[in-house]
Amino acid sequence: LKLEMPTVNLDREVSLLATVPGVVQSLKRCAVTWQKLISRVLEEQLKKVPQGNGPLAEIYLWREKNATLSALTAQIKFPEVQKVLEILQEAESGFTADLQIVLSDLRRHHMQAQDNAKFLSTLERHLKNLSTGTGVDVVSHTIPALLNALRLVWIMSRHYNKEERMVPLLERISWEISARVRRVVDLQTLFKQDIAAAKKKITEARNTLEQWKKCYFTTCIQVEESGSKRYWKFDAKRLFEKTDYMVSICQDLYDIFQVTEELHNMFIPELITVSENPKGVDELQREVNIVISPMEDLTCDPFSMESARDWGFVMEEFREDVTVEIVEQIFVENHKDPPLYKNHPPVAGAISWSRSLCHRITHTITRFQEEEEELLASERGKEVKQIYLQVAEKLKEYEDEKYHLWRERTEYMLPLLLKETLLTVSSATEEPVTTKKSVCFTLNFSPEIQEIITETKYMEQLGLPVPEMARYVALQEDKYLRYTNKLKAMLDCYHKLMEMMNEAEMKLLDHCIQELWRILKAGHKRLTWKSVGIGEFIVQCTQTIGNLELLVHQIHHISEDISSKLQSIESTNLFKFPHSKNGDKYPGAKEFFDYVKCEQAKVVEQLVRKYSAIPQLLIEMERRVANTNSGKSPKLASYYAYWENRIYQVLTQLIVKNLQAFNAAVLANVPLLQIEAVLSVPEITLQPNASEIEKMTVQCIQGCVEVTKHFTRWMHGTCIECPTQHVKADEVVTFSFYSDVSQSPLIIEQANLITQNVHKLLASLSKCLNQWKKYDLLWKSDKGALLDRLAAEKPACVVFDEHLQFYMKVIQEVTSQPLIKDEQFIRLQLAPLALAVQENAKSWMMSLGKLLNDLAREELFSLQDEIQVGVFSL
């Protein structure tokens, strides 16, 4: 990996080279090449993974990364490269931004690789001992030192102090230890060795695996006690699931050799001394060796967790070839809760288990009887035979007791169970309508019936007589299974259907639900599991539920249409504001509120059309439920009331949401309308004034609420709109939602909040006009009197100049003032007020100028008279 160097001459100063376009362009191309190379190298390095499962592969990976990134980093530090970067930074700093990011990534990854390679190298010696050291004892001595070194790496390293780094490394170490144990405990040679030597190897291997786990948890405690804030709280399953499994396999292998040793010690010496048949001895030797023969030709790897099932079969086969004493021990330990074959019931399974134990010992004794009678004739043989007879008797007594207890209970319980009703109900059907949903029907088929059926089938397979009723019920198993499945499906449909309906729909369909309950009542009052009408009952319930479900779906479809219209009404915007003219000119207050009112009138027409369509939908629902289309069916009276209440809630929300939106628009710093500040001598006021604007606001709010006057209420118990009522000759009353909606505390609160906010805003705008009161002498002073006094005093011109300068300063000051003030939703135009102030100042200047002119003329004429008198006197 080598960076391509530029071909241009870089001997001159950086600042001079940065001004030469040809040089800069050449260096840019070179820098782009560097950036691509470094990015590609970083990407390749990040994709690299350790080549192998062991921990040494991780060390070699980081060394390789460090070497590659060190080579690139060294080239970046070359003076020529640094000068190129300086020139590009000087010429066009923005160009080098991406390159600097890549260089920063290179430095960061290089530092990481350097740090990791350094710290992992401290583990290399221990890991090599783990991988290639001679003897298991070397591994045992290496594990504590290795974990201590890992603890130091955890404390000192900047990267291997995190779980995502340390756990994979520990997993690799665990894999290496497992692989080492596999090589030591080689099943291809283990069963060909001396039993004592094999047991020693297995023990050492097991101790090594256990030591790995023990040392790990000791190190965890040391890390915690060292004061480090980063503890080893790793997932133990990831680290030790494999090694723990291997420990169990080692124990299995040890047990195999232990049992084999016991068999040799028990029989072989005695046979050698008493037997006169060497061939029989050899045959028995072969039979004993059969115990471990499957282990020598294993097709699976017992240390592989994927082979756990196959290994379990091997161990099960091994344990089947055991002595009478072991069988007795198994029986004593498990007879109260015997292990059962898959799908076996408790009693028949227990009997099968006891018979299998008896078969094992019978098979062993029979083999000895056939092949070596001298063995059984010996003292040890008689002892074994006596033990066999005692165990066999216990097993037979156990079987008889289990069978008789089962038969007695079955003959007593089965008739009672078959008299149970098909269904149970959690609450009485006479409950009020509002609690219909709480009524829950459940299948009342006792699991004990199914257990009796299964027991009966297995008892007959075992050759044991069964009660006639149990046999009859067992023959009807398919029928009962069919009934229970259909009843479960039917009840699931029923409960889902009840959950689909809300309270209003439950009241609406009360007559249909009562009819369904009447049918279901037979299932929990009359029909039992001995009845002949179960099939017809299921069909009738299923059909009734299906018809009701169809009707509910139709109601939901219509309800969704109504809800859609109500949602559309609720989401309507009643406050549509005019757009500003030319982007900076906004409508006046009256124009603004008139626009909102006009737009509300347009929207109301659309809302009323949507509202008027709702009764037609309810009449369609009435046609489906009550077979009438009057709009006033008594069966739907409560349902009409439900939707009228929903409409009230929607209209209330419509007004509340729109008032909230209007209030938000009032408070937002976005102008919607404009007013003017004007001089109405002697006061400065808003135009229109605050009270007028507040009045228009209240009228706008009232107009929003009065939208509900267009929604006519329905007559009681119907969905038909109330006709208008003529109270007096010239007074017509329409029953609408307005009287109820307008009394809503939420609406009243929101309306008050808007008026308060507008009042505060107008008060704030009025307050900002106070700064203009400093000019009120311009129009509050008596101009004539002041000018007469000045005329009488005949002041010097400098006095006039001071006055004129003052008024000129006022004009200039007003001119520099901002003429627009935006506060919340109002833009205040100050230009009319500023113009009035300027006009008043100019008026003073004109009056002073005229006075000055008059006084100057008077002085001029006086001087002229004096000159003429002087001339005549000469």
Side-chain angles (χ1 to χ4, degrees):
L1 298 173
K2 188 174 181 180
L3 296 179
E4 179 185 343
M5 294 303 168
T7 58
V8 296
N9 189 351
L10 302 178
D11 290 338
R12 288 183 290 173
E13 293 293 327
V14 171
S15 58
L16 292 176
L17 291 171
T19 61
V20 181
V23 173
V24 173
Q25 288 302 320
S26 178
L27 297 184
K28 278 186 178 180
R29 289 192 294 272
C30 191
V32 169
T33 303
W34 296 349
Q35 180 178 336
K36 289 181 179 178
L37 175 62
I38 296 170
S39 297
R40 178 175 59 79
V41 171
L42 288 177
E43 184 178 355
E44 290 174 353
Q45 294 302 314
L46 289 174
K47 288 181 179 178
K48 286 186 176 180
V49 295
Q51 299 301 308
N53 297 322
L56 286 172
E58 190 160 348
I59 295 179
Y60 300 149
L61 173 68
W62 283 112
R63 280 184 181 167
E64 181 185 349
K65 285 186 177 182
N66 183 36
T68 303
L69 299 181
S70 293
L72 272 180
T73 304
Q75 295 180 66
I76 294 298
K77 295 178 180 179
F78 287 168
E80 190 176 1
V81 175
Q82 292 298 314
K83 190 167 185 178
V84 169
L85 296 177
E86 291 176 9
I87 293 170
L88 291 176
Q89 182 68 24
E90 180 77 16
E92 194 172 342
S93 60
F95 173 79
T96 61
D98 291 342
L99 179 57
Q100 290 297 337
I101 292 173
V102 173
L103 292 176
S104 176
D105 288 343
L106 175 60
R107 287 190 292 271
R108 177 166 56 83
H109 288 295
H110 175 233
M111 290 177 63
Q112 182 184 20
Q114 194 175 40
D115 189 75
N116 290 348
K118 179 180 71 174
F119 281 98
L120 290 179
S121 65
T122 63
L123 310 174
E124 187 171 5
R125 177 172 59 87
H126 305 301
L127 295 177
K128 285 184 175 179
N129 284 337
L130 203 65
S131 177
T132 59
T134 57
V136 180
D137 56 334
V138 175
V139 178
S140 298
H141 288 99
T142 298
I143 290 174
L146 172 61
L147 282 167
N148 186 58
L150 283 169
R151 179 176 63 85
L152 295 177
V153 169
W154 174 263
I155 294 172
M156 300 172 65
S157 172
R158 287 177 293 182
H159 302 284
Y160 272 85
N161 59 355
K162 299 178 181 67
E163 181 175 349
E164 56 268 22
R165 289 282 188 203
M166 186 57 75
V167 171
L169 179 59
L170 289 170
E171 285 183 296
R172 289 178 173 276
I173 295 171
S174 183
W175 180 90
E176 190 67 56
I177 294 172
S178 302
R180 188 61 188 269
V181 168
R182 280 171 179 265
R183 292 197 295 271
V184 172
V185 185
D186 182 11
L187 298 187
Q188 298 297 325
T189 60
L190 188 68
F191 287 97
K192 298 176 182 178
Q193 297 178 5
D194 179 69
I195 291 179
K199 287 170 65 178
K200 181 181 178 182
K201 274 191 175 182
I202 294 170
T203 302
E204 289 176 349
R206 184 185 61 198
N207 291 343
T208 299
L209 294 169
E210 291 175 343
Q211 184 192 25
W212 158 238
K213 186 173 184 179
K214 180 181 178 181
C215 289
Y216 166 81
F217 284 109
T218 301
T219 306
C220 289
I221 296 172
Q222 291 173 349
V223 170
E224 188 170 349
E225 291 176 349
S226 67
S228 173
K229 294 183 179 179
R230 299 183 300 273
Y231 300 154
W232 279 17
K233 299 293 185 181
F234 307 144
D235 184 359
K237 183 179 180 181
R238 289 179 60 180
L239 302 180
F240 302 108
E241 182 180 24
K242 172 67 174 176
T243 54
D244 287 348
Y245 175 74
M246 293 182 70
V247 167
S248 68
I249 298 301
C250 287
Q251 186 61 52
D252 286 343
L253 293 172
Y254 187 89
D255 292 343
I256 290 171
F257 282 103
Q258 181 67 27
V259 170
T260 305
E261 188 175 48
E262 291 175 0
L263 288 173
H264 278 287
N265 293 337
M266 180 181 296
F267 295 106
I268 301 306
E270 185 169 0
L271 283 179
I272 293 174
T273 58
V274 302
S275 177
E276 295 180 359
N277 183 3
K279 290 184 178 180
V281 173
D282 293 338
E283 185 64 19
L284 189 55
Q285 175 74 55
R286 187 184 64 80
E287 291 290 330
V288 172
N289 290 335
I290 287 175
V291 174
I292 61 171
S293 61
M295 309 300 169
E296 298 177 0
D297 302 315
L298 281 178
T299 58
C300 65
D301 178 9
F303 287 118
S304 172
M305 296 180 68
E306 289 76 15
S307 302
R309 177 182 173 87
D310 295 335
W311 176 250
F313 289 148
V314 171
M315 288 303 298
E316 183 179 350
E317 183 178 349
F318 165 75
R319 293 189 177 99
E320 286 177 359
D321 254 338
V322 292
T323 61
V324 176
E325 290 89 341
I326 295 176
V327 170
E328 182 179 23
Q329 183 180 356
I330 292 173
F331 174 75
V332 170
E333 291 178 355
N334 297 282
H335 74 282
K336 292 183 178 179
D337 185 18
L340 304 179
Y341 292 109
K342 187 177 180 180
N343 299 326
H344 273 56
V347 180
I351 294 174
S352 296
W353 171 73
S354 69
R355 286 189 178 185
S356 69
L357 293 179
C358 188
H359 172 73
R360 292 178 190 177
I361 58 176
T362 302
H363 173 72
T364 304
I365 295 298
T366 302
R367 192 169 69 242
F368 281 123
Q369 284 179 332
E370 293 174 351
E371 299 178 6
E372 196 59 57
E373 295 182 2
E374 291 96 341
L375 174 63
L376 294 179
S378 65
E379 291 299 322
R380 177 57 180 163
K382 292 177 181 179
E383 182 181 343
V384 171
K385 185 176 181 180
Q386 186 62 32
I387 295 173
Y388 160 74
L389 294 173
Q390 292 174 356
V391 173
E393 185 178 356
K394 286 182 182 179
L395 292 173
K396 186 65 173 69
E397 289 176 356
Y398 176 79
E399 175 183 332
D400 292 344
E401 181 184 6
K402 284 283 186 182
Y403 168 73
H404 289 300
L405 286 175
W406 172 80
R407 184 181 181 101
E408 290 175 4
R409 178 171 176 78
T410 299
E411 290 175 343
Y412 172 75
M413 287 298 301
L414 188 56
L416 299 177
L417 294 172
L418 293 176
K419 289 180 182 179
E420 294 284 345
T421 57
L422 303 182
L423 306 175
T424 57
V425 63
S426 62
S427 59
T429 55
E430 291 78 19
E431 297 240 350
V433 173
T434 54
T435 59
K436 282 194 184 80
K437 194 172 289 190
S438 65
V439 177
C440 179
F441 291 93
T442 54
L443 182 66
N444 192 30
F445 186 76
S446 174
E448 195 170 346
I449 296 178
Q450 182 60 52
E451 186 177 295
I452 289 173
I453 291 174
T454 308
E455 292 280 9
T456 300
K457 292 165 65 176
Y458 277 94
M459 289 292 184
E460 288 191 320
Q461 290 178 12
L462 292 171
L464 297 172
V466 297
E468 283 302 318
M469 181 176 286
R471 178 182 288 108
Y472 172 78
V473 171
L475 292 173
Q476 303 295 317
E477 180 184 13
D478 290 342
K479 183 181 73 173
Y480 284 119
L481 180 62
R482 188 168 60 253
Y483 284 162
T484 54
N485 288 338
K486 288 184 177 181
L487 285 169
K488 286 178 183 177
M490 180 268 289
L491 292 176
D492 286 344
C493 290
Y494 166 77
H495 292 123
K496 288 179 182 177
L497 179 61
M498 300 303 287
E499 288 297 323
M500 288 169 58
M501 293 185 282
N502 57 32
E503 185 178 341
E505 291 164 348
M506 299 282 279
K507 292 180 180 179
L508 173 66
L509 299 174
D510 179 60
H511 61 291
C512 298
I513 296 173
Q514 292 293 344
E515 174 61 19
L516 175 58
W517 281 357
R518 185 189 65 78
I519 297 171
L520 286 171
K521 187 176 180 180
H524 79 92
K525 289 287 188 180
R526 179 173 57 83
L527 293 175
T528 68
W529 294 104
K530 296 172 65 176
S531 301
V532 295
I534 299 177
E536 291 78 3
F537 167 75
I538 295 173
V539 170
Q540 189 179 11
C541 289
T542 304
Q543 290 177 347
T544 306
I545 292 171
N547 294 335
L548 180 56
E549 184 178 7
L550 177 62
L551 182 57
V552 169
H553 283 303
Q554 293 173 345
I555 291 172
H556 282 178
H557 181 70
I558 297 173
S559 298
E560 288 170 4
D561 285 349
I562 299 175
S563 297
S564 176
K565 294 183 185 302
L566 293 181
Q567 178 63 32
S568 176
I569 292 173
E570 184 179 336
S571 60
T572 301
N573 180 14
L574 297 178
F575 287 96
K576 295 183 179 179
F577 305 131
H579 300 290
S580 62
K581 301 175 182 177
N582 301 324
D584 58 353
K585 184 171 177 58
Y586 295 90
K590 187 175 185 309
E591 181 184 355
F592 173 82
F593 286 110
D594 286 346
Y595 181 89
V596 171
K597 183 177 180 180
C598 180
E599 290 298 318
Q600 280 182 357
K602 296 177 184 177
V603 170
V604 166
E605 293 180 6
Q606 301 173 3
L607 297 182
V608 170
R609 282 199 297 271
K610 294 175 183 177
Y611 170 71
S612 300
I614 293 176
Q616 292 303 317
L617 292 171
L618 290 175
I619 289 173
E620 172 63 20
M621 192 178 294
E622 176 190 340
R623 186 183 66 80
R624 296 177 184 275
V625 175
N627 294 320
T628 60
N629 58 359
S630 62
K632 52 184 178 180
S633 170
K635 290 183 178 179
L636 275 77
S638 63
Y639 201 60
Y640 298 143
Y642 164 77
W643 280 110
E644 193 168 22
N645 183 57
R646 280 282 306 277
I647 293 168
Y648 162 74
Q649 294 172 356
V650 165
L651 292 177
T652 302
Q653 283 299 308
L654 168 69
I655 304 303
V656 169
K657 289 181 179 178
N658 275 277
L659 291 181
Q660 289 173 341
F662 184 42
N663 186 48
V666 167
L667 296 176
N669 292 318
V670 179
L672 297 176
L673 59 89
Q674 67 180 24
I675 60 177
E676 296 178 345
V678 297
L679 175 60
S680 179
V681 178
E683 299 297 333
I684 298 174
T685 62
L686 300 174
Q687 187 178 10
N689 60 40
S691 61
E692 291 174 338
I693 295 174
E694 289 184 14
K695 182 178 179 181
M696 286 187 278
T697 303
V698 171
Q699 290 174 346
C700 184
I701 295 171
Q702 185 62 27
C704 173
V705 179
E706 288 181 354
V707 164
T708 56
K709 287 185 176 181
H710 298 273
F711 294 85
T712 307
R713 294 289 298 272
W714 299 338
M715 289 189 289
H716 181 68
T718 74
C719 62
I720 302 171
E721 294 184 359
C722 294
T724 55
Q725 303 296 314
H726 296 275
V727 181
K728 297 180 182 178
D730 57 346
E731 184 179 354
V732 177
V733 175
T734 300
F735 294 104
S736 70
F737 285 92
Y738 172 75
S739 57
D740 295 313
V741 173
S742 60
Q743 299 301 316
S744 170
L746 290 174
I747 293 176
I748 295 172
E749 178 187 357
Q750 201 62 40
N752 291 336
L753 186 59
I754 295 172
T755 55
Q756 290 171 10
N757 289 333
V758 172
H759 178 78
K760 291 177 183 177
L761 171 58
L762 294 172
S764 175
L765 293 174
S766 298
K767 187 176 180 181
C768 82
L769 297 180
N770 290 339
Q771 61 178 329
W772 292 82
K773 291 184 178 180
K774 62 183 178 180
Y775 305 119
D776 60 0
L777 290 177
L778 294 175
W779 54 83
K780 287 186 177 181
S781 299
D782 189 343
K783 186 187 297 183
L786 183 58
L787 293 174
D788 288 343
R789 189 168 65 251
L790 280 174
E793 293 175 355
K794 295 182 178 181
C797 289
V798 67
V799 174
F800 280 95
D801 185 61
E802 289 175 357
H803 282 289
L804 289 172
Q805 288 294 333
F806 168 75
Y807 292 119
M808 181 59 69
K809 184 179 179 181
V810 168
I811 292 172
Q812 293 174 348
E813 187 178 300
V814 170
T815 303
S816 65
Q817 292 281 352
L819 300 181
I820 292 176
K821 178 175 178 58
D822 290 340
E823 188 164 347
Q824 294 182 6
F825 82 119
I826 293 179
R827 168 166 288 183
L828 176 60
Q829 292 284 0
L830 296 166
L833 176 59
L835 182 61
V837 172
Q838 289 174 338
E839 290 298 328
N840 275 274
K842 289 178 181 179
S843 175
W844 275 98
M845 291 178 69
M846 292 293 293
S847 298
L848 286 171
K850 184 176 182 303
L851 176 60
L852 179 59
N853 183 58
D854 291 344
L855 292 176
R857 285 172 61 85
E858 184 179 340
E859 287 290 333
L860 180 60
F861 290 146
S862 175
L863 180 59
Q864 186 178 3
D865 291 342
E866 289 180 6
I867 292 172
Q868 287 178 353
V869 170
V871 171
F872 291 144
S873 65
L874 293 175

